[in-house]
Amino acid sequence: MYKFSVLALGINEMIQLTGSPQSYTFNKTYTLPVTVADYVLTITAKDKFAIPNTGSLNVNIVATNEYPAIYLCDQPKGTNLTTDAVGVPMYFHEKSGQDFEFKYYADKDNKEVYFLGQESDFAPHCFGLNTAGELVDDVASTPIILPTKGYYKIKVNPNTLKYTVEKYTPTSKVWADVANGLWHDDACFKKTFRKCLRWRNQRCKLGYLERLGYDRITLD
């Protein structure tokens, strides 16, 4: 016999097993309340001996409406996001509370982007636009359109469902003019393009820029 219970949520599942299975898998989805709180899941197992042996395990569950990370994805829905493509989806640059900021280069006009609440898939949390042009958490949403090619600062809050898009011009030193085969930093000289990018800024996944065909690499 197995018992799964979370008293604070009224969850009390009891499973009576038949035969003598050596293992058992329990799979069920529960909806947690929006209220931020800690809950204790108690798992109890009891055998069939004349004098039953019982063991319990408590698992702490934290219900929160905060996202530890948000990702920007410029690939169409249905794309496999678990491949080795560097920077897909793109990790945020700055975070303050639930305000996430991205610095992104749109490599063409009318670039389509989404925000994702997870790194490996478009579900369950995909932030795009509804028919009214408002940000929504809906896998059926349409993409946000960046109208012209160039650099953007994009801020999004997944809780308030607000976002802003602002074009900007990088102000830091240009380390490489790839189109003309020029390096403007001795440490990068004669390094491969990919290694130089990763050496310069590991946290921003700048290897992604190679795939986008960047012709100027900056540290902004």
Short mmCIF file of all heavy atoms in Angstrom, two decimals, residues 86 92-94 103 172 175 188 193-209 217-220:
data_model
loop_
_atom_site.label_atom_id
_atom_site.label_comp_id
_atom_site.label_asym_id
_atom_site.label_seq_id
_atom_site.Cartn_x
_atom_site.Cartn_y
_atom_site.Cartn_z
N VAL A 86 24.05 27.01 -30.05
CA VAL A 86 24.47 27.90 -28.97
C VAL A 86 23.55 29.11 -28.88
O VAL A 86 23.26 29.76 -29.88
CB VAL A 86 25.92 28.38 -29.20
CG1 VAL A 86 26.36 29.31 -28.08
CG2 VAL A 86 26.86 27.17 -29.28
N PHE A 92 18.61 35.57 -20.22
CA PHE A 92 18.51 37.01 -19.95
C PHE A 92 19.87 37.59 -19.55
O PHE A 92 20.76 36.89 -19.10
CB PHE A 92 17.48 37.28 -18.85
CG PHE A 92 17.87 36.76 -17.49
CD1 PHE A 92 18.61 37.53 -16.62
CD2 PHE A 92 17.48 35.49 -17.08
CE1 PHE A 92 18.98 37.06 -15.37
CE2 PHE A 92 17.84 35.01 -15.82
CZ PHE A 92 18.59 35.79 -14.97
N HIS A 93 20.01 38.93 -19.69
CA HIS A 93 21.25 39.60 -19.32
C HIS A 93 21.20 40.16 -17.90
O HIS A 93 22.17 40.08 -17.16
CB HIS A 93 21.55 40.75 -20.30
CG HIS A 93 22.01 40.28 -21.63
ND1 HIS A 93 21.15 39.80 -22.59
CD2 HIS A 93 23.25 40.20 -22.18
CE1 HIS A 93 21.84 39.45 -23.67
NE2 HIS A 93 23.11 39.68 -23.45
N GLU A 94 20.08 40.78 -17.54
CA GLU A 94 19.94 41.39 -16.22
C GLU A 94 18.58 41.00 -15.63
O GLU A 94 17.61 40.81 -16.36
CB GLU A 94 20.04 42.92 -16.29
CG GLU A 94 21.34 43.45 -16.90
CD GLU A 94 22.55 43.22 -16.01
OE1 GLU A 94 22.35 42.98 -14.81
OE2 GLU A 94 23.68 43.28 -16.53
N LYS A 103 19.56 41.98 -24.14
CA LYS A 103 20.18 42.77 -25.19
C LYS A 103 20.30 41.86 -26.39
O LYS A 103 21.02 40.85 -26.36
CB LYS A 103 21.54 43.30 -24.73
CG LYS A 103 21.43 44.33 -23.62
CD LYS A 103 22.78 44.84 -23.17
CE LYS A 103 22.62 45.89 -22.07
NZ LYS A 103 23.94 46.38 -21.57
N SER A 172 30.26 50.28 -26.29
CA SER A 172 31.55 49.72 -25.92
C SER A 172 32.43 49.54 -27.15
O SER A 172 31.99 49.65 -28.28
CB SER A 172 31.37 48.38 -25.21
OG SER A 172 30.78 47.44 -26.08
N TRP A 175 35.27 44.88 -30.73
CA TRP A 175 36.41 43.97 -30.62
C TRP A 175 36.71 43.26 -31.93
O TRP A 175 37.82 42.78 -32.15
CB TRP A 175 36.14 42.94 -29.53
CG TRP A 175 36.07 43.56 -28.18
CD1 TRP A 175 34.92 43.85 -27.48
CD2 TRP A 175 37.14 44.03 -27.38
NE1 TRP A 175 35.22 44.47 -26.30
CE2 TRP A 175 36.59 44.59 -26.21
CE3 TRP A 175 38.52 44.05 -27.53
CZ2 TRP A 175 37.35 45.14 -25.21
CZ3 TRP A 175 39.28 44.60 -26.52
CH2 TRP A 175 38.70 45.14 -25.38
N CYS A 188 42.68 38.64 -28.74
CA CYS A 188 41.85 37.90 -29.68
C CYS A 188 42.59 37.57 -30.97
O CYS A 188 42.13 36.78 -31.77
CB CYS A 188 40.60 38.71 -30.04
SG CYS A 188 39.34 38.69 -28.77
N PHE A 193 37.18 32.62 -34.44
CA PHE A 193 36.06 33.50 -34.12
C PHE A 193 35.26 32.96 -32.95
O PHE A 193 34.96 33.66 -32.00
CB PHE A 193 35.20 33.62 -35.37
CG PHE A 193 34.00 34.52 -35.21
CD1 PHE A 193 34.09 35.72 -34.51
CD2 PHE A 193 32.78 34.18 -35.79
CE1 PHE A 193 33.00 36.55 -34.37
CE2 PHE A 193 31.70 35.01 -35.66
CZ PHE A 193 31.80 36.19 -34.95
N ARG A 194 34.95 31.67 -33.00
CA ARG A 194 34.12 31.09 -31.94
C ARG A 194 34.83 31.16 -30.59
O ARG A 194 34.25 31.56 -29.59
CB ARG A 194 33.78 29.63 -32.28
CG ARG A 194 32.88 28.95 -31.25
CD ARG A 194 32.64 27.51 -31.62
NE ARG A 194 31.94 27.38 -32.86
CZ ARG A 194 30.62 27.43 -32.98
NH1 ARG A 194 29.89 27.65 -31.91
NH2 ARG A 194 30.04 27.29 -34.14
N LYS A 195 36.11 30.81 -30.52
CA LYS A 195 36.82 30.83 -29.25
C LYS A 195 36.95 32.25 -28.71
O LYS A 195 36.87 32.48 -27.51
CB LYS A 195 38.20 30.21 -29.43
CG LYS A 195 38.18 28.69 -29.59
CD LYS A 195 39.58 28.14 -29.71
CE LYS A 195 39.55 26.62 -29.86
NZ LYS A 195 40.91 26.07 -30.04
N CYS A 196 37.15 33.21 -29.59
CA CYS A 196 37.29 34.59 -29.14
C CYS A 196 36.01 35.07 -28.48
O CYS A 196 36.03 35.70 -27.44
CB CYS A 196 37.65 35.49 -30.31
SG CYS A 196 37.82 37.23 -29.86
N LEU A 197 34.89 34.77 -29.10
CA LEU A 197 33.62 35.21 -28.56
C LEU A 197 33.39 34.62 -27.18
O LEU A 197 33.00 35.31 -26.24
CB LEU A 197 32.47 34.80 -29.49
CG LEU A 197 32.43 35.51 -30.85
CD1 LEU A 197 31.29 34.94 -31.67
CD2 LEU A 197 32.26 36.99 -30.67
N ARG A 198 33.64 33.34 -27.04
CA ARG A 198 33.40 32.69 -25.76
C ARG A 198 34.40 33.19 -24.71
O ARG A 198 34.06 33.34 -23.55
CB ARG A 198 33.50 31.18 -25.93
CG ARG A 198 32.31 30.62 -26.73
CD ARG A 198 32.42 29.15 -26.94
NE ARG A 198 31.24 28.65 -27.64
CZ ARG A 198 31.14 27.43 -28.13
NH1 ARG A 198 32.14 26.58 -27.99
NH2 ARG A 198 30.06 27.04 -28.76
N TRP A 199 35.62 33.44 -25.11
CA TRP A 199 36.62 33.96 -24.17
C TRP A 199 36.24 35.34 -23.68
O TRP A 199 36.41 35.67 -22.53
CB TRP A 199 37.97 33.99 -24.88
CG TRP A 199 39.08 34.52 -24.03
CD1 TRP A 199 39.83 33.84 -23.12
CD2 TRP A 199 39.58 35.87 -24.02
NE1 TRP A 199 40.75 34.66 -22.54
CE2 TRP A 199 40.63 35.91 -23.08
CE3 TRP A 199 39.25 37.03 -24.71
CZ2 TRP A 199 41.34 37.07 -22.81
CZ3 TRP A 199 39.96 38.18 -24.46
CH2 TRP A 199 40.99 38.21 -23.52
N ARG A 200 35.67 36.18 -24.54
CA ARG A 200 35.36 37.56 -24.19
C ARG A 200 34.18 37.67 -23.23
O ARG A 200 34.16 38.51 -22.36
CB ARG A 200 35.03 38.35 -25.46
CG ARG A 200 36.25 39.02 -26.04
CD ARG A 200 36.71 40.12 -25.13
NE ARG A 200 38.07 40.49 -25.39
CZ ARG A 200 38.82 41.16 -24.57
NH1 ARG A 200 38.39 41.48 -23.38
NH2 ARG A 200 40.04 41.50 -24.89
N ASN A 201 33.17 36.87 -23.39
CA ASN A 201 32.01 37.03 -22.52
C ASN A 201 31.27 35.70 -22.42
O ASN A 201 30.37 35.42 -23.17
CB ASN A 201 31.07 38.10 -23.07
CG ASN A 201 30.10 38.59 -22.00
OD1 ASN A 201 29.82 37.88 -21.05
ND2 ASN A 201 29.60 39.78 -22.15
N GLN A 202 31.67 34.87 -21.46
CA GLN A 202 31.12 33.53 -21.34
C GLN A 202 29.63 33.55 -21.03
O GLN A 202 28.86 32.75 -21.52
CB GLN A 202 31.85 32.80 -20.21
CG GLN A 202 33.34 32.75 -20.42
CD GLN A 202 33.84 31.39 -20.83
OE1 GLN A 202 33.09 30.45 -20.72
NE2 GLN A 202 35.05 31.30 -21.29
N ARG A 203 29.19 34.50 -20.19
CA ARG A 203 27.81 34.42 -19.68
C ARG A 203 26.75 34.79 -20.71
O ARG A 203 25.59 34.48 -20.56
CB ARG A 203 27.64 35.32 -18.46
CG ARG A 203 27.58 36.80 -18.76
CD ARG A 203 27.38 37.61 -17.52
NE ARG A 203 27.34 39.03 -17.78
CZ ARG A 203 26.26 39.69 -18.14
NH1 ARG A 203 25.12 39.04 -18.29
NH2 ARG A 203 26.28 40.98 -18.36
N CYS A 204 27.14 35.49 -21.77
CA CYS A 204 26.15 35.97 -22.73
C CYS A 204 25.96 35.04 -23.91
O CYS A 204 25.23 35.37 -24.84
CB CYS A 204 26.53 37.36 -23.24
SG CYS A 204 26.35 38.64 -21.98
N LYS A 205 26.65 33.89 -23.92
CA LYS A 205 26.51 32.93 -25.01
C LYS A 205 26.74 33.61 -26.36
O LYS A 205 25.94 33.51 -27.28
CB LYS A 205 25.12 32.28 -25.00
CG LYS A 205 24.87 31.40 -23.78
CD LYS A 205 23.55 30.69 -23.89
CE LYS A 205 23.33 29.75 -22.73
NZ LYS A 205 22.04 29.05 -22.81
N LEU A 206 27.83 34.34 -26.47
CA LEU A 206 28.05 35.10 -27.69
C LEU A 206 28.33 34.22 -28.90
O LEU A 206 28.35 34.71 -30.02
CB LEU A 206 29.19 36.09 -27.47
CG LEU A 206 28.87 37.25 -26.53
CD1 LEU A 206 30.05 38.20 -26.46
CD2 LEU A 206 27.63 38.00 -26.99
N GLY A 207 28.56 32.94 -28.68
CA GLY A 207 28.70 32.04 -29.82
C GLY A 207 27.47 32.09 -30.71
O GLY A 207 27.52 31.78 -31.90
N TYR A 208 26.35 32.48 -30.12
CA TYR A 208 25.09 32.60 -30.88
C TYR A 208 25.22 33.61 -32.01
O TYR A 208 24.60 33.48 -33.05
CB TYR A 208 24.01 33.03 -29.89
CG TYR A 208 22.63 33.22 -30.48
CD1 TYR A 208 22.09 32.30 -31.36
CD2 TYR A 208 21.85 34.32 -30.10
CE1 TYR A 208 20.82 32.48 -31.87
CE2 TYR A 208 20.59 34.50 -30.60
CZ TYR A 208 20.06 33.57 -31.49
OH TYR A 208 18.81 33.75 -31.99
N LEU A 209 26.05 34.63 -31.80
CA LEU A 209 26.19 35.69 -32.79
C LEU A 209 26.80 35.16 -34.08
O LEU A 209 26.52 35.66 -35.16
CB LEU A 209 27.05 36.82 -32.23
CG LEU A 209 26.55 37.41 -30.91
CD1 LEU A 209 27.50 38.50 -30.44
CD2 LEU A 209 25.15 37.97 -31.08
N ILE A 217 31.17 42.79 -33.34
CA ILE A 217 30.97 42.19 -32.02
C ILE A 217 31.38 43.21 -30.95
O ILE A 217 32.50 43.71 -30.96
CB ILE A 217 31.81 40.92 -31.83
CG1 ILE A 217 31.57 39.95 -33.00
CG2 ILE A 217 31.49 40.25 -30.50
CD1 ILE A 217 30.13 39.59 -33.18
N THR A 218 30.46 43.53 -30.06
CA THR A 218 30.77 44.48 -28.99
C THR A 218 30.50 43.80 -27.66
O THR A 218 29.95 42.71 -27.61
CB THR A 218 29.91 45.74 -29.08
OG1 THR A 218 28.61 45.44 -28.60
CG2 THR A 218 29.84 46.27 -30.51
N LEU A 219 30.86 44.46 -26.60
CA LEU A 219 30.65 43.90 -25.26
C LEU A 219 29.40 44.43 -24.60
O LEU A 219 29.13 44.14 -23.46
CB LEU A 219 31.86 44.21 -24.36
CG LEU A 219 33.17 43.53 -24.81
CD1 LEU A 219 34.23 43.77 -23.76
CD2 LEU A 219 32.95 42.05 -25.02
N ASP A 220 28.59 45.24 -25.25
CA ASP A 220 27.34 45.73 -24.67
C ASP A 220 26.34 44.59 -24.59
O ASP A 220 26.22 43.80 -25.50
CB ASP A 220 26.77 46.85 -25.53
CG ASP A 220 27.18 48.21 -24.95
OD1 ASP A 220 28.01 48.20 -24.03
OD2 ASP A 220 26.67 49.21 -25.44
#
